[in-house]
Amino acid sequence: MSFARESTKLFSGPSRGAGTFQPAEGLTGTEASLRLHEDGPNVLDPPPKDSIFVIFIRQTQNMFFLLTLVAALVSWDLGSHGKAVMLVCLVAFMSVANTIGEYSSQDAGTALSDMTAQQTTCLRDGQAVPINPAGLVVGDVVMLKTGDVVPADMLVLEANDLRVNEALLTGEPREVSKSTHSTDPTVSILSNMVYSATSVVSGHGKAEVVATGMRTQVGLIAKRLGNQKGLTEKNPLAVSVDALGKLLTRVLLVVVIATASVAYKVGYQDPSLICRADDKRCLFKSALLRAVVMTIALIPHGIPVVCAIMLRVGSIQIQRRNGIPTKVSAVDYLSATSVICTDKTGTLTEGKMTASVLFGLCHDDAASAAGPSTTESNLTFYPLRGLSPNGGLFETSQLTSERKQRIEQSFDANALRQSFSEPGLHDHAAAPQKTTGLHKQFAEAHLACAFLNCHATHLSLNKSGAWKTQGNMTEAALKVAAAKAGYWEGEGKGQSLQKTHTLISDLEVPFSSSRKMMATIHSLPENRRLESLQFDQDSTHYAIIKGAPEILLDRVGAVPKLAAGVLVVPGSVMTPSDKALIQQRNTDLANTGLRSLLLAVRPLRARDVEAMVGATSAEDRLAIILENPRAACVFSLWGIFDPPRASVPPSIKSCHEAGIRVVMITGDQSATAMSIAKQIKILGDGAKDSARCSLECSKLHEPPVARTNNRRLSQQASTILDEIDSAVPRAEPEEWLQERRGSRKLSVHDVRGPEDCHEPEFLSEEELMRITSRVTCYSRAQPSDKVAIVASLRAGGHVVAMTGDGVNDAPALKAADVGVSMGLSGTAVARNASDLILMDDNFSTIVAAIEQGRRAFGNTQKYVLVNLSMKFGQLITLLAGILMGVMPPISPILQILNLSVTHVCCTAFVAFEQPEDHIMKVPPRRDTQQLLTRTQVLYRLVPFLLYYPPVVMASLMIGTFGAVGFVSNNALIGSSRVNDLNDGLVACERAGWEDHGQYVQDTRPFHCRCKLSDNGLPWLQSKVVDQWGTSTKKNSLGILFSPLDYPEFFSLENADWKGKTTGVVKRCEHDGGLWCWDTTVKRVNRPVLPEGLSCAEHGAKVGQTMALVTIMVGELLTVMSSRMEGFFLCHLFSNRSFFIGFVFQPTVMYLLIYTPESARILDLIPISSHLFAIAAGMGFCLLVFNEGAKTLYRWQAAHDRDRLWKEVAAQEDYSGFRAEKQIEDA
């Protein structure tokens, strides 16, 4: 037993005042003041909040954040100030946005405090006085009435039809009757206790305070809401990204060292940055700078930003599916969710009591020559849609699963009432109805009596088009059932029935918790008929009695008699077999989790009505109605329950197909919980499966510990609590402590103090994990039980989503990886504690949110895969260039531009890709796995790295060779040896001078000889062009882009050479094999080819321009191919937003190449259409190769999915999970 009570003793002595401790008088003011000073006010402590700084730190804890800062610093140092500022601003913006969103969603504790009472009436010094509930203390006696919010946990001393809504604690919206005696002292929520923040819905009473503030049951909820996530706790995507960042950090260090070492060792020279052969310092600096720039370009510093974009896009997609993520991290947790723990009421079910089955019996005189026999009528309502009147009433035997499926397919949610009749299936509630017979007679009687009896409950449509009721929840079920037969208040046959069967409201017997029944009195028309019920001619009125079957059945003694097509009442005397049959049907309803309700009819004569008018109380009127049991006729047994939502079973099937366990946790009784669980396929149909996979939450607790009686209550209250304590087996503290085994590291294993000593102690972590690994249906759950289940599942390595709508669910919502609350029926406390709000309160929305979460993660994988593929492809291409001694296919500045345009802008549109067809057919990923799978690396990344460098290098060499006739750096840079150019070894000649016997080579060539091809095509070489240096500066853009079109500027006949080389260059004195400048030529007048105007440099720019086209076109097509795993043409228009990038990137490329100023700055050449087509065609080859690699990848990925399912089936922690996924052969 776990009720809340104080632990501070009442000390005796004159200074304490004379507390009377009599419930009739309450405490004295002096005693109350002393207790208030000792115990503190009756308020809830505000839960702690994470500071905005802590949340910001949590948002930035990944390696890519650090790498991005390093990349920004290096970019700034290299002069790329714009890029550096952009990187820092983007990461800072996303981090701040996520921080603000998470910080603003911590108001659950405030909302909980707002639900407590604002005013109450208690006895002080024998007088009833209004006080602030914060001033209540243990021992105070409080007066309760309809509409009050209970101010503290209190023991009921007096109860007059006292009914309380305890949904705040149990999650079940039913009204609970309270009395002075506990019906079951072993349960957590006692029937003779009222609890803080619950509400009184009817009656009045008196109760004594036994716990205040944080010592109350709602105080436990406030305590659990205070559990905050740690500073270093990361979501699964952050873990995977961080792991990738650490791996890439090691790779980058290796790349820097290896690239710098190789470039320095081979003396690699870039034609655009030439060092003297003997300048080791320049060579080392050039090699190191090249390695650093390559590494910076390799860093996928856009990953944190793009991941944030992916999650934001996923958040938007979830909003379109009626879910609102309050934290962007919820999208990621949803993608990795492996267990969904869900409340029953309002989430899996409609949250509205609904009539499901009807049972009736009568005696049929014509059934047998031997005498009357008992005939049954079993009817079923279908489909069930909460308060919607669109549904039929059928014979149970006719309503097969195939017919149910056809009804579901034809159901129109917007229709008021459809007729679902078909050959062999009669809708007995449809109008007009041509069917006749016993079932039709009973249907009319059932529904007409229910309509008249439930006159105080009303059904209507609200402004938003949703059905709502006013009045009792149980009566609402009957009123909706009557509406299905066309009984509406104020219109149609409902209005006609109310006029001809007038309600005598003064004679009504209202419901009370003691009598458990109620009755309404109605007049009879002249024909003495109520639809199919025929009364005798002496009757002027009749009573419709509704009540609990176990009570009402003993007070009635007749059943209807079927004669001449009508049901005659009171009919025949009820036989023992009739009573046994009704009792059996009532037991069957209870075993299937249905609540039962019995209706009876009692004909009344004029003298009976006169006697009732003269009666002084409802009890007297009821006694008159039931004084002759043989006159009261029972005919209608209703089965009522909160039906599962129609979308839930297929959604749970989808979860099972996706490898996600669904666990139901409810405060309802075990039979009801198992019945719903079986209907929605959380549990199997077998008894063995039900026994193994269902559990009452009391089994999660350690034995309660015997406690010393230190209460400060009245003698009456103490005696009652002692009786309750004695009914619950308890262990001695020493014995219990010695028997505890296993670790106790979960949040529910915290040390208990005086304020929370009434909270149950839980089993060890290992024992809880053994239970939670197999159980999928929990009943009789307290708020702390839900926290324990969630914590145990998380400790077992699961990513847990918890759904709920009530205050009792808030601690578990906070403890789960993803807290999911209801937007329509959910409390503010639950919404503020959650990470995702369902705006339609529908479980299927959770499944849709998980699908969108997986879609976001899948698109993130695609982005990372294609991004790393392109970056590592460029890296290997540059390394290949160094090893081959050819020029780099792309310069650092172009590499950065391509990174921004292609690697970030175009790949970012992958966030809008549609999910793969198999996305909900695979088990959830592990939260610690690498971002990319082994199959993605081996079958997508590695093949790309094999064919990307050859394609790009081929384009580079075609362009360079077609414009120069050479491709190696040494040939393009040229030589100072006299015969190298004539021997065809180099494209250019350089001169130098001798300085104290040391030869110093000039940085610019004086003569270049290039082999040109028609249209730049290397296989169509047609002429050789010689260029000679000049001392005159040439600044024309035309000369820069096409220096070969101006041969007169670079002719041997120009003013510097005058047709001969003598007098300008000569063989060196000390080494006759080298060219030296003639000593007569001044240094400033040396005729060299201006920078960028030699045919070799021009050819190198042509090659780099073609390589840029191949890279940009190829990478754009690679992104397009990588968007989906299937053939790209089948998904060409699945993501229309991608075409923004598809147009943007080529436009930028065209402007970079064919805008003169940008081409000059970037050292590009506006190449001819022939060369552009060749370069773009080489890029198209990447698309072809990608599609071939994807074919192998799809084959291997299918095998991987089958292997994962086999692993899931073999795992012990899935022993309670019976997946519906069938593993197919590859």
Side-chain angles (χ1 to χ4, degrees):
M1 212 290 297
S2 58
F3 54 86
R5 54 187 178 277
E6 296 286 352
S7 61
T8 307
K9 295 182 179 180
L10 172 63
F11 297 97
S12 59
S15 64
R16 295 300 305 253
T20 64
F21 293 92
Q22 296 297 319
E25 300 178 9
L27 297 175
T28 65
T30 303
E31 177 66 26
S33 297
L34 289 171
R35 295 188 181 194
L36 183 63
H37 177 73
E38 289 178 359
D39 301 337
N42 177 33
V43 294
L44 300 178
D45 295 339
K49 289 186 177 182
D50 280 342
S51 69
I52 195 166
F53 174 75
V54 169
I55 297 175
F56 179 79
I57 293 299
R58 192 158 59 223
Q59 294 292 334
T60 57
Q61 286 179 335
N62 63 75
M63 284 298 299
F64 281 103
F65 184 79
L66 178 61
L67 290 175
T68 301
L69 289 181
V70 173
L73 290 174
V74 175
S75 298
W76 182 277
D77 187 59
L78 294 176
S80 300
H81 296 170
K83 178 189 176 185
V85 172
M86 178 191 70
L87 291 176
V88 174
C89 289
L90 280 176
V91 174
F93 173 77
M94 300 308 299
S95 298
V96 170
N98 293 339
T99 299
I100 294 173
E102 186 170 339
Y103 180 77
S104 62
S105 61
Q106 301 186 94
D107 299 326
T110 303
L112 181 60
S113 298
D114 292 341
M115 300 183 70
T116 56
Q118 304 301 313
Q119 190 69 268
T120 192
T121 301
C122 81
L123 294 177
R124 290 281 173 86
D125 297 310
Q127 300 294 320
V129 293
I131 68 167
N132 189 321
L136 284 178
V137 296
V138 171
D140 265 327
V141 178
V142 177
M143 315 301 293
L144 297 174
K145 63 182 184 301
T146 302
D148 284 350
V149 176
V150 178
D153 285 7
M154 301 187 290
L155 182 71
V156 177
L157 302 177
E158 296 179 8
N160 294 294
D161 296 334
L162 184 64
R163 297 174 69 82
V164 179
N165 187 332
E166 293 179 339
L168 180 145
L169 297 177
T170 65
E172 301 302 319
R174 295 194 297 268
E175 301 163 359
V176 180
S177 297
K178 293 295 181 179
S179 64
T180 57
H181 299 286
S182 175
T183 56
D184 184 0
T186 63
V187 298
S188 58
I189 305 299
L190 300 171
S191 60
N192 64 340
M193 289 275 293
V194 288
Y195 297 93
S196 178
T198 60
S199 56
V200 179
V201 295
S202 65
H204 58 90
K206 183 190 294 184
E208 184 172 342
V209 176
V210 298
T212 60
M214 295 298 289
R215 299 170 175 86
T216 61
Q217 292 287 348
V218 76
L220 293 179
I221 296 176
K223 167 194 167 184
R224 293 299 175 195
L225 283 175
N227 294 337
Q228 300 292 307
K229 290 184 177 179
L231 176 66
T232 59
E233 187 168 345
K234 298 179 181 179
N235 53 295
L237 181 58
V239 172
S240 298
V241 168
D242 202 36
L244 178 63
K246 292 176 181 177
L247 176 63
L248 285 180
T249 300
R250 294 192 290 268
V251 172
L252 294 178
L253 291 175
V254 173
V255 167
V256 169
I257 297 172
T259 303
S261 301
V262 171
Y264 180 75
K265 185 71 175 176
V266 302
Y268 179 78
Q269 294 269 35
D270 187 339
S272 63
L273 184 62
I274 300 173
C275 297
R276 292 188 178 95
D278 59 344
D279 192 347
K280 301 299 183 182
R281 181 182 178 87
C282 177
L283 288 173
F284 178 77
K285 182 179 178 180
S286 174
L288 183 61
L289 181 62
R290 182 174 295 105
V292 171
V293 170
M294 287 171 57
T295 303
I296 293 301
L298 177 64
I299 297 175
H301 40 249
I303 283 184
V305 177
V306 173
C307 285
I309 292 173
M310 295 285 184
L311 295 180
R312 285 290 177 189
V313 171
S315 178
I316 294 171
Q317 297 296 335
I318 291 174
Q319 290 183 40
R320 293 175 178 172
R321 304 289 290 271
N322 293 322
I324 299 181
T326 61
K327 299 176 185 175
V328 71
S329 60
V331 180
D332 177 39
Y333 277 114
L334 285 167
S335 71
T337 295
S338 57
V339 178
I340 301 176
C341 295
T342 175
D343 185 28
K344 174 178 71 69
T345 306
T347 307
L348 298 177
T349 64
E350 295 281 356
K352 307 291 189 300
M353 297 304 293
T354 305
S356 175
V357 296
L358 275 171
F359 168 75
L361 82 165
C362 65
H363 288 170
D364 187 354
D365 286 337
S368 172
S373 63
T374 301
T375 304
E376 297 181 48
S377 172
N378 290 284
L379 302 174
T380 300
F381 291 96
Y382 199 84
L384 304 179
R385 293 293 191 277
L387 299 179
S388 172
N390 189 13
L393 181 60
F394 310 94
E395 295 176 44
T396 303
S397 60
Q398 294 180 348
L399 195 60
T400 62
S401 57
E402 292 80 8
R403 286 170 173 168
K404 285 183 178 180
Q405 187 174 3
R406 287 196 293 272
I407 291 174
E408 291 288 350
Q409 293 172 350
S410 64
F411 182 81
D412 182 0
N414 297 317
L416 178 64
R417 178 66 165 89
Q418 296 172 260
S419 177
F420 299 100
S421 296
E422 61 178 57
L425 181 68
H426 302 292
D427 184 354
H428 294 292
Q433 185 61 253
K434 298 180 180 180
T435 61
T436 59
L438 176 66
H439 297 293
K440 173 62 176 176
Q441 308 299 329
F442 264 109
E444 291 180 349
H446 291 315
L447 300 176
C449 287
F451 174 74
L452 293 173
N453 181 261
C454 301
H455 64 90
T457 301
H458 309 284
L459 175 67
S460 61
L461 273 173
N462 60 20
K463 294 181 180 179
S464 63
W467 291 99
K468 65 175 184 178
T469 59
Q470 294 177 335
N472 182 274
M473 292 180 58
T474 302
E475 289 192 348
L478 275 63
K479 205 62 174 280
V480 171
K484 293 177 181 180
Y487 291 108
W488 294 92
E489 294 178 347
E491 62 178 272
K493 63 179 184 179
Q495 181 181 29
S496 175
L497 197 66
Q498 288 176 321
K499 287 182 178 179
T500 55
H501 297 76
T502 307
L503 171 70
I504 314 299
S505 57
D506 292 340
L507 301 183
E508 182 174 344
V509 179
F511 179 87
S512 72
S513 57
S514 58
R515 66 175 75 100
K516 292 188 177 181
M517 66 179 73
M518 61 90 66
T520 55
I521 312 301
H522 305 267
S523 63
L524 274 170
E526 293 183 359
N527 63 0
R528 302 298 188 264
R529 287 281 296 272
L530 170 59
E531 298 295 5
S532 60
L533 293 180
Q534 178 66 61
F535 295 85
D536 58 55
Q537 293 299 314
D538 294 334
S539 301
T540 60
H541 296 75
Y542 62 94
I544 303 176
I545 312 146
K546 178 176 79 232
E550 63 273 15
I551 302 297
L552 183 56
L553 190 58
D554 292 333
R555 305 288 297 274
V556 296
V559 295
K561 181 172 62 176
L562 182 63
V566 296
L567 295 172
V568 178
V569 292
S572 307
V573 175
M574 181 190 301
T575 64
S577 60
D578 294 335
K579 185 174 183 178
L581 180 59
I582 296 174
Q583 291 173 333
Q584 181 59 48
R585 293 292 178 268
N586 184 49
T587 302
D588 294 342
L589 294 178
N591 290 338
T592 55
L594 272 66
R595 297 176 61 191
S596 55
L597 202 62
L598 191 65
L599 264 66
V601 176
R602 160 71 152 89
L604 298 173
R605 293 179 170 79
R607 63 176 179 271
D608 298 324
V609 176
E610 292 175 1
M612 293 181 66
V613 171
T616 58
S617 67
E619 289 292 346
D620 293 339
R621 294 194 293 273
L622 184 62
I624 294 171
I625 295 172
L626 299 176
E627 63 180 351
N628 182 11
R630 293 189 176 182
C633 179
V634 60
F635 73 96
S636 183
L637 179 65
W638 293 68
I640 302 170
F641 78 130
D642 184 8
R645 294 177 181 267
S647 60
V648 166
S651 297
I652 289 179
K653 182 180 180 182
S654 298
C655 287
H656 289 173
E657 291 176 345
I660 301 171
R661 288 177 61 196
V662 181
V663 177
M664 185 175 75
I665 310 174
T666 178
D668 214 335
Q669 60 185 352
S670 178
T672 303
M674 286 194 292
S675 173
I676 295 295
K678 289 179 181 179
Q679 291 181 52
I680 59 180
K681 304 305 180 184
I682 287 179
L683 285 179
D685 295 328
K688 184 177 181 180
D689 187 66
S690 299
R692 174 176 172 78
C693 300
S694 61
L695 189 80
E696 284 199 10
C697 285
S698 60
K699 301 296 194 326
L700 302 174
H701 305 160
E702 296 278 11
V705 183
R707 300 189 180 102
T708 305
N709 186 343
N710 54 9
R711 305 186 185 100
R712 299 169 296 164
L713 306 173
S714 67
Q715 186 61 45
Q716 177 182 351
S718 295
T719 301
I720 295 173
L721 293 179
D722 286 342
E723 292 175 353
I724 294 174
D725 274 353
S726 63
V728 181
R730 295 182 178 273
E732 292 300 324
E734 295 80 4
E735 174 191 348
W736 173 63
L737 288 171
Q738 290 173 1
E739 291 180 354
R740 286 199 297 178
R741 296 289 186 272
S743 60
R744 311 184 70 81
K745 299 178 182 178
L746 301 180
S747 61
V748 292
H749 289 140
D750 52 347
V751 178
R752 306 295 160 77
E755 292 187 348
D756 57 0
C757 61
H758 54 285
E759 186 178 22
E761 288 279 356
F762 288 91
L763 300 174
S764 69
E765 182 177 349
E766 292 81 6
E767 290 172 310
L768 287 176
M769 288 175 63
R770 279 196 294 270
I771 292 173
T772 56
S773 68
R774 62 177 173 82
V775 175
T776 55
C777 177
Y778 296 90
S779 57
R780 297 293 190 186
Q782 303 178 51
S784 56
D785 294 329
K786 299 181 180 182
V787 176
I789 294 167
V790 169
S792 175
L793 288 168
R794 292 190 68 199
H798 293 285
V799 175
V800 182
M802 174 71 202
T803 73
D805 56 357
V807 176
N808 64 313
D809 300 315
L813 296 178
K814 199 75 175 286
D817 295 295
V818 188
V820 184
S821 66
M822 306 297 114
L824 297 177
S825 61
T827 61
V829 180
R831 290 195 298 270
N832 289 343
S834 65
D835 307 294
L836 174 66
I837 301 174
L838 306 183
M839 298 311 296
D840 57 358
D841 291 9
N842 201 327
F843 182 83
S844 61
T845 303
I846 304 174
V847 181
I850 290 175
E851 180 180 1
Q852 293 304 318
R854 289 190 175 190
R855 170 188 178 184
F857 179 78
N859 289 342
T860 302
Q861 280 186 309
K862 293 174 184 177
Y863 165 81
V864 173
L865 178 62
V866 70
N867 200 279
L868 291 182
S869 297
M870 294 186 297
K871 289 183 183 300
F872 276 97
Q874 289 185 12
L875 171 66
I876 294 178
T877 303
L878 292 171
L879 287 175
I882 293 175
L883 294 174
M884 295 170 63
V886 300
M887 62 181 299
I890 186 169
S891 65
I893 188 171
L894 288 174
Q895 198 172 6
I896 292 173
L897 279 172
N898 182 53
L899 182 149
S900 302
V901 175
T902 306
H903 295 199
V904 176
C905 295
C906 291
T907 54
F909 290 107
V910 175
F912 301 95
E913 285 302 324
Q914 296 301 313
E916 299 288 348
D917 294 337
H918 58 74
I919 197 168
M920 292 297 286
K921 305 292 184 183
V922 294
R925 77 183 195 274
R926 297 179 179 90
D927 60 349
T928 56
Q929 75 177 37
Q930 286 285 352
L931 196 57
L932 299 181
T933 66
R934 183 173 179 270
T935 299
Q936 288 173 326
V937 172
L938 293 180
Y939 288 83
R940 297 293 301 279
L941 178 59
V942 172
F944 187 84
L945 300 184
L946 294 177
Y947 54 70
Y948 180 89
V951 169
V952 174
M953 295 302 293
S955 182
L956 171 72
M957 293 180 180
I958 288 173
T960 305
F961 190 81
V964 183
F966 297 93
V967 294
S968 70
N969 280 350
N970 291 335
L972 296 176
I973 292 172
S975 170
S976 57
R977 303 198 68 82
V978 174
N979 296 319
D980 282 357
L981 186 142
N982 291 328
D983 292 343
L985 300 178
V986 295
C988 296
E989 291 181 304
R990 296 171 183 263
W993 63 92
E994 293 177 325
D995 185 6
H996 297 91
Q998 184 73 28
Y999 183 78
V1000 181
Q1001 181 178 281
D1002 207 332
T1003 58
R1004 300 296 308 160
F1006 67 86
H1007 176 214
C1008 288
R1009 179 178 296 162
C1010 299
K1011 301 174 184 178
L1012 301 184
S1013 307
D1014 289 341
N1015 298 317
L1017 303 179
W1019 50 85
L1020 295 176
Q1021 290 184 342
S1022 58
K1023 60 182 178 180
V1024 176
V1025 174
D1026 280 286
Q1027 284 184 309
W1028 295 88
T1030 177
S1031 59
T1032 306
K1033 293 184 177 180
K1034 309 296 180 182
N1035 297 322
S1036 169
L1037 287 178
I1039 299 177
L1040 180 65
F1041 293 144
S1042 186
L1044 302 182
D1045 292 341
Y1046 301 88
E1048 67 275 11
F1049 292 152
F1050 308 108
S1051 170
L1052 188 61
E1053 304 298 329
N1054 65 34
D1056 293 296
W1057 297 95
K1058 298 178 181 179
K1060 59 183 180 179
T1061 61
T1062 56
V1064 182
V1065 293
K1066 63 180 182 179
R1067 291 177 180 267
C1068 296
E1069 294 181 3
H1070 291 84
D1071 187 350
L1074 300 176
W1075 286 114
C1076 282
W1077 293 109
D1078 194 285
T1079 55
T1080 61
V1081 179
K1082 296 181 179 181
R1083 189 166 187 171
V1084 294
N1085 294 327
R1086 290 171 181 170
V1088 295
L1089 289 168
E1091 184 175 357
L1093 298 185
S1094 72
C1095 62
E1097 290 175 298
H1098 173 76
K1101 291 179 183 179
V1102 171
Q1104 283 190 321
T1105 303
M1106 287 188 64
L1108 176 67
V1109 173
T1110 299
I1111 288 172
M1112 296 191 72
V1113 171
E1115 290 184 350
L1116 179 64
L1117 294 177
T1118 296
V1119 174
M1120 183 178 70
S1121 174
S1122 300
R1123 288 165 44 217
M1124 299 294 286
E1125 293 180 4
F1127 184 52
F1128 81 100
L1129 286 178
C1130 299
H1131 306 279
L1132 193 60
F1133 301 103
S1134 62
N1135 179 8
R1136 297 184 183 277
S1137 61
F1138 175 75
F1139 285 92
I1140 298 175
F1142 197 80
V1143 172
F1144 171 73
Q1145 193 248 33
T1147 302
V1148 171
M1149 179 180 64
Y1150 182 86
L1151 293 176
L1152 292 178
I1153 297 173
Y1154 294 100
T1155 301
E1157 191 62 30
S1158 67
R1160 180 186 66 81
I1161 295 173
L1162 299 175
D1163 287 332
L1164 297 174
I1165 297 296
I1167 56 178
S1168 66
S1169 58
H1170 298 85
L1171 294 180
F1172 188 93
I1174 292 173
M1178 298 296 291
F1180 186 80
C1181 291
L1182 293 179
L1183 174 65
V1184 176
F1185 293 144
N1186 278 331
E1187 290 300 315
K1190 282 167 60 178
T1191 302
L1192 293 175
Y1193 170 77
R1194 287 193 295 269
W1195 173 80
Q1196 182 60 39
H1199 281 278
D1200 288 346
R1201 290 193 291 271
D1202 290 340
R1203 177 178 53 81
L1204 285 174
W1205 276 112
K1206 292 176 182 178
E1207 290 178 359
V1208 166
Q1211 288 177 358
E1212 288 185 1
D1213 61 341
Y1214 274 83
S1215 58
F1217 167 44
R1218 306 182 65 181
E1220 296 180 19
K1221 171 78 172 95
Q1222 298 296 323
I1223 302 175
E1224 300 175 356
D1225 292 333

